[in-house]
Amino acid sequence: MTRAQIKHVQRGLHSRIPICCIAYFVTTYFPKWAAYRKGDIKAARYIRRHVRRNHATAKRLGHKRPPGYVPCPACVRAGNIIHVHMCTLRCRGKLGTELGHGP
Ligand SMILES: [Zn+2]
Ligand SMILES: [Zn+2]
């Protein structure tokens, strides 16, 4: 894992995101997203489909906003989308200068 990936994992865990979703983000979603940004059509389709499903599931679960993280496909299927922990200034010490999720 790269340092950037480790940071994603640390911040994800701090925000109480399930470990399966963090692993999915680091190994699958982020590389696809990077390819999408470079103009990869297949990756773009994948990302859009995943985002659409996420948002639809979150809505069905009664979330007022789309989830502030990327749930893995298994969690989306199972309807397991959490409310992420929103960081306060008190979290700063635990994560260095960077916060997990801002309000
Ligand atoms: Zn998951
Ligand atoms: Zn926090």
Side-chain angles (χ1 to χ4, degrees):
M1 253 198 276
T2 64
R3 288 178 74 89
Q5 287 174 322
I6 289 169
K7 227 177 199 142
H8 277 305
V9 173
Q10 282 175 330
R11 294 173 70 178
L13 286 174
H14 176 81
S15 299
R16 305 199 190 116
I17 294 169
I19 190 90
C20 51
C21 303
I22 297 170
Y24 166 73
F25 181 83
V26 170
T27 62
T28 306
Y29 189 87
F30 191 76
K32 291 253 192 221
W33 182 81
Y36 160 51
R37 299 283 294 182
K38 285 192 195 127
D40 185 319
I41 310 257
K42 261 195 195 159
R45 222 176 277 147
Y46 178 91
I47 295 286
R48 283 201 212 104
R49 198 185 321 131
H50 191 67
V51 168
R52 207 182 314 126
R53 278 191 197 142
N54 279 348
H55 290 189
T57 305
K59 216 172 172 186
R60 186 162 53 74
L61 292 170
H63 290 228
K64 287 190 187 70
R65 285 185 295 163
Y69 72 107
V70 181
C72 71
C75 283
V76 173
R77 264 197 303 279
N80 177 34
I81 295 180
I82 61 143
H83 288 277
V84 292
H85 153 78
M86 291 295 170
C87 276
T88 63
L89 285 176
R90 252 184 272 157
C91 296
R92 214 175 268 267
K94 290 184 208 146
L95 287 176
T97 51
E98 271 181 84
L99 297 175
H101 272 87

